[in-house]
Amino acid sequence: MLSPAMIARGVLGSSLVLVGGFVVSTIPRSAPVMELQLLADARATTVGRMVGLALVMIGLGLLGAAWLSLCRAVARDGTDPHDAVDRVRYCTLLWCAPLLLAPPLFSRDGWSYAAQGTMTNVDASPYLYGPNVLGGPVVEAVDPRWMGTVTPYGPLPLAIGDLAATLTGNPWVLVVIHRLAALAGLALLAWAVPRMAGWAGVNPALATAIVCASPLMLANGAGGLHNDLTMVGLMAAALVVAAERSWVLGAVLGGLAAAVKAPGGLVCIAVALVGLPLAATLAQRLRRLVAVAAVSVTCLVALGLAWGSASGGSRRSPCRAPSTRRCRCPRSWAARSTTWRRSPASARRPRPSSRSPASSATWSPSASPAGWRCGGPPGGRSGRSPPSRP
């Protein structure tokens, strides 16, 4: 039986990491939360930043203590293993919950994901240009080192970012959506790890606690919302599905893992081998490997073609020259309620660079709250006439 005090200690730790993260993490300067005077004062002073850092460290310490208690509890637990695994998953869910709305922690990568998804949405290929082709809130918190760098990721994160950008231009909401994708990878791990532990005769609850509930996983994987977590979750699921159900489904999941990041495709080697008997001949293994490679590559290329990124392009042409007619990118109703305004004084046009197209997506302070503009064909992707100004 898990102690309520242990669970509460983990929740308190995550909450302290959340509060401290608002002080020490990079946040777009135009974010509404930056208008809070207390937060602005804390971020502007050395004492305030040290207090924020102390809160983060204390929170991580509480998470670590709760995690060690959880590992000891499930290691000694003599109840049904399935019940113990469910309790570990429950703790992981509770400890992740406070971090859902946090800014990207310990890294600015989440802001880069938001910018790359927005680029895909406005038909500026992230495989050809860096986030510096954009202007406005979506790039305010991107690390300057990556502003002129093309994306190293596959089409799946770009597809997620593209779909998210059709709903909102609010960078914070975009970051939360990418965090949900990372948490989906964590959920896949929570499903796959107990099964793999059962193969090895290891306590499945303890294995799940070590992998899924550790402070490193919660703070860096969920809090930092790294795409690697989605990739690893898909890799683990591919291995389990190939062993217990079908190597074809495993190969599809392996292709999706590669669509997040190229190293994810390495799981296809295990997918090809795990479903074969130990006595399989070399020829049988090679044939299975070729078949798995064909399925996974087909899945990867199909996803890339669907988002126009298989060869580094976009679903339409990239942003056009300044003489091209400019348009308001289509936005749904959600954009009007979730995209914050920038003041005219803080609005800026993107800096030209050797990798940027001649025109770029820029923030228009005079337009509606969904005031992104992009170069390209009139009406953006939808082909519709641009809406009139309000």
Side-chain angles (χ1 to χ4, degrees):
M1 195 65 185
L2 302 182
S3 166
M6 177 199 68
I7 298 175
R9 187 160 58 244
V11 173
L12 176 60
S14 294
S15 301
L16 291 178
V17 172
L18 168 66
V19 174
F22 277 100
V23 179
V24 301
S25 298
T26 302
I27 298 175
R29 60 182 178 276
S30 61
V33 71
M34 296 295 285
E35 298 176 4
L36 297 175
Q37 190 59 45
L38 180 61
L39 178 60
D41 292 342
R43 292 173 62 90
T45 62
T46 301
V47 173
R49 291 193 296 271
M50 290 299 102
V51 170
L53 181 60
L55 289 176
V56 171
M57 299 306 296
I58 293 172
L60 290 175
L62 290 173
L63 270 175
W67 173 62
L68 291 174
S69 298
L70 175 64
C71 291
R72 287 194 295 266
V74 297
R76 297 194 300 260
D77 197 342
T79 60
D80 181 62
H82 296 290
D83 291 339
V85 169
D86 289 340
R87 288 195 288 270
V88 171
R89 291 169 176 166
Y90 177 70
C91 286
T92 304
L93 177 63
L94 289 181
W95 295 349
C96 276
L99 301 177
L100 181 61
L101 298 179
L105 301 174
F106 314 110
S107 169
R108 297 194 196 184
D109 285 2
W111 301 117
S112 295
Y113 301 162
Q116 290 160 4
T118 301
M119 290 174 62
T120 307
N121 187 254
V122 299
D123 296 326
S125 173
Y127 297 111
L128 299 177
Y129 312 110
N132 58 1
V133 303
L134 299 177
V138 77
V139 293
E140 286 179 352
V142 175
D143 194 315
R145 293 176 295 178
W146 311 131
M147 284 292 284
T149 304
V150 299
T151 181
Y153 299 105
L156 184 56
L158 299 182
I160 294 171
D162 182 10
L163 294 174
T166 63
L167 300 176
T168 179
N170 186 324
W172 208 296
V173 178
L174 296 176
V175 161
V176 171
I177 293 173
H178 280 282
R179 178 173 282 123
L180 291 176
L183 292 177
L186 182 60
L188 288 174
L189 278 175
W191 173 79
V193 166
R195 288 163 170 78
M196 291 190 286
W199 301 346
V202 176
N203 184 336
L206 180 59
T208 305
I210 292 173
V211 172
C212 298
S214 72
L216 179 62
M217 178 65 76
L218 299 178
N220 196 46
L225 58 117
H226 291 288
N227 284 333
D228 305 75
L229 180 53
T230 307
M231 178 191 72
V232 170
L234 287 168
M235 293 174 72
L239 190 59
V240 171
V241 168
E244 298 184 352
R245 301 188 183 183
S246 166
W247 68 265
V248 176
L249 294 177
V252 170
L253 290 172
L256 291 177
V260 177
K261 208 170 182 179
L266 293 175
V267 74
C268 292
I269 299 174
V271 167
L273 300 178
V274 73
L276 291 173
L278 292 176
T281 64
L282 179 60
Q284 290 175 319
R285 296 176 190 273
L286 290 177
R287 282 197 297 268
R288 176 63 61 83
L289 186 60
V290 170
V292 169
V295 173
S296 60
V297 170
T298 299
C299 177
L300 171 61
V301 173
L303 183 60
L305 290 175
W307 260 263
S309 55
S311 59
S314 61
R315 281 198 280 182
R316 294 183 187 268
S317 60
C319 293
R320 308 290 183 85
S323 59
T324 303
R325 181 180 174 186
R326 305 183 74 188
C327 67
R328 287 270 298 281
C329 294
R331 292 284 179 215
S332 71
W333 61 269
R336 294 183 175 272
S337 61
T338 56
T339 305
W340 63 66
R341 286 183 179 270
R342 290 191 74 197
S343 64
S346 63
R348 68 170 180 87
R349 301 182 69 84
R351 298 188 305 271
S353 72
S354 59
R355 299 195 59 87
S356 65
S359 71
S360 54
T362 59
W363 178 255
S364 172
S366 62
S368 69
W372 289 100
R373 290 192 168 197
C374 68
R381 290 185 177 173
S382 65
R384 297 175 297 189
S385 300
S388 58
R389 289 180 180 272

